[in-house]
Amino acid sequence: MKLSHSTIRNLEQLLTIGEIPTADISPLKIGQNLGMWITSTDGSRIIATPATVQLLQTLPSLSETVAALLSCEADIRQAWGKIIAARLQELGTRRDAQGLSEAINTLGQASETLIQLLPQAALSSSNYTELERTLFDAPAEQAPNL
């Protein structure tokens, strides 16, 4: 899936304003299937649902909320899941039980899926490096700057 900077900006606008023209996030299909947004009766607008508002209120930043919505897309979820699984493996090899426990608790139900990705875990670049730089200021496989 190829996503442009404008798709990211349009998702940010959906989260900030609550609605956008329909064509603005047309490459993203799964969000509507998951109930994150609906299409207006006349088909001209996409409208955020209460589930999206709750997600925005739960996550610490707009960029993390956009990333969460994008990770609903299967290709992106698979690529990022391999990186997250590798980070979990890394915590395990450092024998950081507290850090690993905290990470698994934070991931919640997603940790079950990530456990299945452990055999494919890799801290290598994904096909979404440009997207990751837009959202996180760095590729996802690189350790965050603290």
Side-chain angles (χ1 to χ4, degrees):
M1 166 184 297
K2 180 73 173 154
L3 295 173
S4 66
H5 286 285
S6 64
T7 304
I8 304 310
R9 300 301 167 233
N10 293 331
L11 270 177
E12 290 172 346
Q13 185 177 9
L14 175 65
L15 292 165
T16 304
I17 298 172
E19 66 179 56
I20 56 173
T22 300
D24 287 350
I25 58 171
S26 58
L28 305 174
K29 304 294 183 204
I30 197 72
Q32 186 160 356
N33 295 346
L34 294 173
M36 302 310 288
W37 55 78
I38 59 170
T39 304
S40 64
T41 306
D42 66 2
S44 67
R45 295 173 293 126
I46 292 174
I47 303 160
T49 65
T52 303
V53 173
Q54 182 179 9
L55 183 66
L56 181 61
Q57 292 172 342
T58 302
L59 294 174
S61 69
L62 181 63
S63 64
E64 287 193 39
T65 306
V66 169
L69 290 173
L70 291 173
S71 70
C72 294
E73 298 292 326
D75 294 346
I76 296 171
R77 183 176 57 251
Q78 182 77 5
W80 289 353
K82 291 176 184 178
I83 294 168
I84 295 168
R87 292 282 179 217
L88 292 173
Q89 279 183 329
E90 187 178 62
L91 284 170
T93 60
R94 285 191 284 162
R95 300 183 191 270
D96 181 0
Q98 181 178 353
L100 183 58
S101 294
E102 287 175 12
I104 291 170
N105 285 335
T106 299
L107 291 166
Q109 289 180 312
S111 63
E112 294 173 23
T113 302
L114 293 169
I115 288 170
Q116 296 172 6
L117 288 174
L118 284 173
Q120 302 166 33
L123 283 179
S124 57
S125 63
S126 72
N127 294 331
Y128 302 102
T129 301
E130 186 176 324
L131 168 68
E132 294 158 6
R133 286 186 192 280
T134 301
L135 291 170
F136 312 123
D137 296 326
E141 79 277 2
Q142 293 182 2
N145 294 325
L146 298 176

